[in-house]
Amino acid sequence: MKAIFNNKIFLAFLIIAGAALIVFLSAEGMGYYILAREKAAWLKSNSSTATLEEKELKELEKKNEKLLQKIKKLAPKGVYLIVDTAKNRLYLNKDNETLRQAVIST
């Protein structure tokens, strides 16, 4: 063990690596602290617009529900086939239920 510390190159590398680790950890800690302060300031400044965002969110949810209803109306009814050329699969569906699936070549 004593022979390892007598090697000057190894000692220099060990000191440089330790210093680099200390600098890296200090920079990470400062970055975390700065980002936490910025996040708190951002949340404080945007808290007044929360009610507006909630209204917009409710409007978007209503629009989303209307679109889902339109999609359901356009969906095929009864028995139908789906050919998935990306996965090379054939699906036999009835309404929203898959009855059979098979591997095919497209």
Side-chain angles (χ1 to χ4, degrees):
M1 187 75 174
K2 205 174 193 183
I4 292 175
F5 291 109
N6 287 337
N7 188 345
K8 291 181 182 180
I9 295 173
F10 177 74
L11 269 176
F13 174 76
L14 191 63
I15 291 171
I16 292 171
L21 181 64
I22 290 171
V23 168
F24 174 75
L25 291 176
S26 298
E28 282 289 316
M30 287 180 359
Y32 180 78
Y33 175 74
I34 291 169
L35 284 176
R37 284 182 46 202
E38 287 182 10
K39 181 181 177 184
W42 182 81
L43 287 173
K44 187 176 181 180
S45 69
N46 287 338
S47 64
S48 62
T49 60
T51 55
L52 179 62
E53 289 176 359
E54 289 174 5
K55 290 178 184 178
E56 291 174 351
L57 180 62
K58 288 180 182 179
E59 288 178 20
L60 287 174
E61 287 175 345
K62 287 179 185 178
K63 287 182 181 179
N64 188 28
E65 186 62 35
K66 288 180 183 178
L67 288 173
L68 287 174
Q69 289 174 358
K70 286 182 181 180
I71 289 172
K72 285 181 182 178
K73 288 179 184 177
L74 293 173
K77 303 204 179 357
V79 178
Y80 58 95
L81 292 173
I82 297 176
V83 178
D84 187 350
T85 58
K87 295 180 182 178
N88 288 331
R89 295 244 177 214
L90 174 74
Y91 299 97
L92 175 65
N93 289 357
K94 181 177 182 181
D95 298 325
N96 288 334
E97 181 183 352
T98 301
L99 301 175
R100 300 267 189 248
Q101 59 177 309
V103 177
I104 59 172
S105 176
T106 55

